[in-house]
Amino acid sequence: MPKLWKGRFKKELAAQADDFNSSISFDSRMFEEDIMGSAAHAEMLGSCGIIDKEESEKIVNELFKILSDIKEGKLQIDMECEDIHTFVEAEITKRLGDTGKRLHTARSRNDQVALDIRLSLRKETDSILGALKSLIDVLCEKAGENKDAIMPGYTHLQRAQPITLAHHLMAYAAMFCRDIDRLLDARKRLNVCPLGSGALAGTTYPIDRGMTAEKLGFDSITLNSLDGVSDRDFCIELASALSLVMVHLSRFAEEIIMWCSWEFKFIELDDAFSTGSSIMPQKKNPDIAELVRGKSGRVFGNLTALLTVMKGVPLAYNKDLQEDKEAIFDSVDTVKMCLGAFTPMIKTMTVLRGNMKAAAATGFINATDCADYLVGKGLPFRDAYKATGELVALCIDKNTTLEELSLADYRGVCSAFDSDVYAAIDLEKCVSARKTPGGPGSVDAQIEAVKKFISSK
Ligand code: ARG
């Protein structure tokens, strides 16, 4: 495939250098963005009188034909081309001759590629935002169904205090809401148009940067042409926001995996989201959750790769920047794939409330409430804490629970105890009494707030 930049060279590029230099294998996915950007550019060239209006219209129409031909499978992208920009320009020139050759007036591949990545990542960000909203919807739905599903809350992975599954799920909803906020914030800096930066120093043609930016749905144009062609902060910001999405998904996946184990058995995943073993007939494995946990690694790796690629790049464009695409596209694709499998897995899981409740019944998770009861009877908290600790030790000795301990045992430790202690340490009561904002007794308000947040974004 002849190079766009053929003129000053006497030799062909060596095959090894050609393969090494080429990016079409991973930038051809931006064909639509490249065509839309080119069409906006051609239209602007015509309206600013830089090229003939008729020629500009011809270019725009033909570009749209190229787009539909690719989409309908009538036109194959030529993988021998150096990159997608070369392919589109070669194709328009093949179809329109000299008119096609005018498309690249007042433009460089450097501002062109910066434009294409921004357009492409804007679309991907919007799709991930939608996928996160769907996951949060499912979490709200599941939380609504499990407001009275008592389970142990943990610290140090030790049973700590009673909560509900609804409260636990809404913790993840809170994380994913922050992810939405972060992505929307990153989107603001992403949605700035670099077209018109030229190779590095703008252009002498009287272009209208505002016009192309507006046509392509950007909020504004980049301030400085050197920065316009060499900035990839928006890739790094997105990679970073996506890394946090993966941190959250991975933590959730880890809990799902634990909850599926015989040691917990709090949930059962649907058969459609579980796998078996080739040798052990009894196995039902949470592979989907494990893969989500595992895939977080590549997303964090991509963030590190992007930071490292950028840290030594002098102004302005350098070919190092071509390394942005595989990393950020992989992060985008991975997060989309993970959300695509994770959300229906959560939606279809069965909650084994009996097992959750049974786990909550042992481990003395109402001990804090027992101490709080004594505080209600006038004891300072530290004394109440000590007395309850003694009761727990007594329970361990007698192999029993706080609920089953006799009133005599209670009084033996502290005379302030009365028969109303049993109501005070009842698990349902312990949960519903924690009505402070953010607590398990205020889950309704949390669900409502999250739903409101989602519909406002
Ligand atoms: N494939 C290149 C990239 O992804 C396009 C820009 C090429 N520009 C250049 N001056 N060689 O970065």
Side-chain angles (χ1 to χ4, degrees), residues 23 27 82-83 85 108-110 113 232 317 319 321-322 324-325:
S23 57
D27 67 20
E82 188 178 325
D83 51 33
H85 327 294
S108 157
R109 271 188 302 164
N110 297 350
V113 71
R232 296 292 183 272
Y317 179 87
K319 198 62 177 245
L321 299 189
Q322 181 166 286
D324 60 355
K325 282 173 279 299

Side-chain angles (χ1 to χ4, degrees), residues 41-51 105-107 195-196 202-212:
H41 180 68
E43 202 180 333
M44 180 277 292
L45 291 177
S47 110
C48 293
I50 299 167
I51 65 172
T105 315
R107 187 177 72 164
L195 197 63
T203 175
T204 53
Y205 294 97
I207 58 168
D208 183 347
R209 292 192 62 198
M211 183 180 162
T212 36

Side-chain angles (χ1 to χ4, degrees), residues 18 41 49 234 256 284 323 355 375 420:
D18 202 6
H41 180 68
F234 57 91
I256 295 293
K284 183 170 174 181
E323 286 289 309
N355 293 347
V375 170
D420 56 350

Side-chain angles (χ1 to χ4, degrees), residues 1 148 169 221 236 304 329 338 365 394 431 439:
M1 189 71 192
D148 52 356
L169 294 177
I221 59 172
I236 295 175
T304 308
F329 288 154
C338 288
I365 65 177
L394 187 64
V431 167

